[in-house]
Amino acid sequence: METVVSGIRPTGELHLGNYFGAVKNFVKMQHESNCYFFIADYHSLTTHPTPGDLQGNVKRVLINYLAAGLDPEVCTLYIQSDVPEVTELYLLLNMNAYMGELQRVSSFKEKARKQPDNINAGLLTYPTLMAADILLHKALKVPVGKDQEQHLEMTRTFANRFNRMYNVEFFPEPLAYNFGSQLVKIPGLDGSGKMGKSEGEGNAIFLSDSTESIRKKMMKAVTDSGPTVENQEKPDAIQNLFTLMQVVSDPETYTFFDEQYNGCKIRYGDLKKQLAVDMDRFVAPLRERIEALENDNDYLRKVMRQGAEKARESAIKTVSEARHIIGFRSY
Ligand code: TRP
């Protein structure tokens, strides 16, 4: 089976955009490949060196992924910092990572612009740490979005360079795995772009949202004054609500409101009420699993310990082989 590695940012609660964007595909992928999923807590220090609630954020992401269906008996789910071998591989790879190429990475340039007072070495070597994450398990596939493709290109560069420098065929070349057409882009509730946490309060529906909070957010969703011409194209804000309906409502419900819209008879209040009910029905089982997990620290601890153990098995093997290849010997 092909090995897959992917890192998850410890951003806390997940929203429906995350769910349909990545999580759902991870859940499917775990049954098709040998998957390693980890929460990239070391990486978060590159932008937040004194993190406020690192443990809390890591725990919340972990809980959300478990609630969404990642099965620790099926995939290897771990916290990056629980597998310290990654830092050794990072060190070894850094010796053959050049300043110039690291400085040219666009995510580095962007972050350097955003945090001019904290252009730290970790930020510069973010791609080496990410390469270490991937090469640690000799992954062939990395499910990432467009914004990570350059990092993956660097991973291939480092892998090939290592092989060439030490004259071995040790690291395979990992390829980006794009979910492509399987991806449903979930719009936010503010009438503009996609669902996101940073777009402001009320724009995103979280997997942990209560019935009441879902209802409130839905009722506040941006609409317009209604269609005036039959079968007119839906403006963005309205199309967004229909897109949401497509993922959480029955096809009949969707068709009903679509026809109402096309006949200029639509009442947005009714549509939003229906959408709130359907959204709640969709979120309810996820929310319930999140609540149950939040109170089950014993289980979470077990999952983490087991994940770290499984990940360290392949990590220790890779790192000790890499050390040997470079020439480290014990006396
Ligand atoms: N850089 C990725 C992101 O921002 C997270 C990440 C860290 C990652 N290490 C990884 C993704 C290894 C895939 C493989 O989303």
Side-chain angles (χ1 to χ4, degrees), residues 155-188:
T155 304
R156 285 190 290 271
T157 301
F158 297 143
N160 287 328
R161 187 175 297 155
F162 184 97
N163 291 346
R164 211 171 344 98
M165 290 186 81
Y166 305 107
N167 198 18
V168 285
E169 277 196 43
F170 186 58
F171 290 124
E173 270 196 22
L175 292 180
Y177 181 75
N178 220 307
F179 290 113
S181 59
Q182 296 169 57
L183 276 190
V184 189
K185 195 178 138 204
I186 301 296

Side-chain angles (χ1 to χ4, degrees), residues 5-9 38 40 43 126 130 133-134 142 144 148 151:
V5 166
S6 197
I8 299 161
R9 296 177 217 180
F38 67 93
H43 274 108
Y126 185 112
M130 181 158 161
D133 292 326
I134 296 166
V142 184
V144 286
Q148 298 297 315
H151 288 153

Side-chain angles (χ1 to χ4, degrees), residues 60-123:
R60 274 185 287 276
V61 185
L62 171 69
I63 288 176
N64 272 264
Y65 272 83
L66 289 169
L70 275 195
D71 183 347
E73 301 297 327
V74 176
C75 66
T76 304
L77 179 60
Y78 66 98
I79 298 170
Q80 187 184 31
S81 63
D82 280 346
V83 182
E85 288 73 21
V86 74
T87 60
E88 185 170 354
L89 187 56
Y90 167 61
L91 177 141
L92 298 175
L93 293 174
N94 265 336
M95 301 305 168
N96 303 326
Y98 303 119
M99 189 83 167
E101 63 188 343
L102 292 167
Q103 279 173 323
R104 279 193 300 273
V105 174
S106 38
S107 65
F108 172 71
K109 289 195 278 190
E110 194 191 317
K111 293 273 167 57
R113 219 172 15 244
K114 272 196 202 153
Q115 51 184 68
D117 299 326
N118 182 25
I119 309 177
N120 62 72
L123 195 64

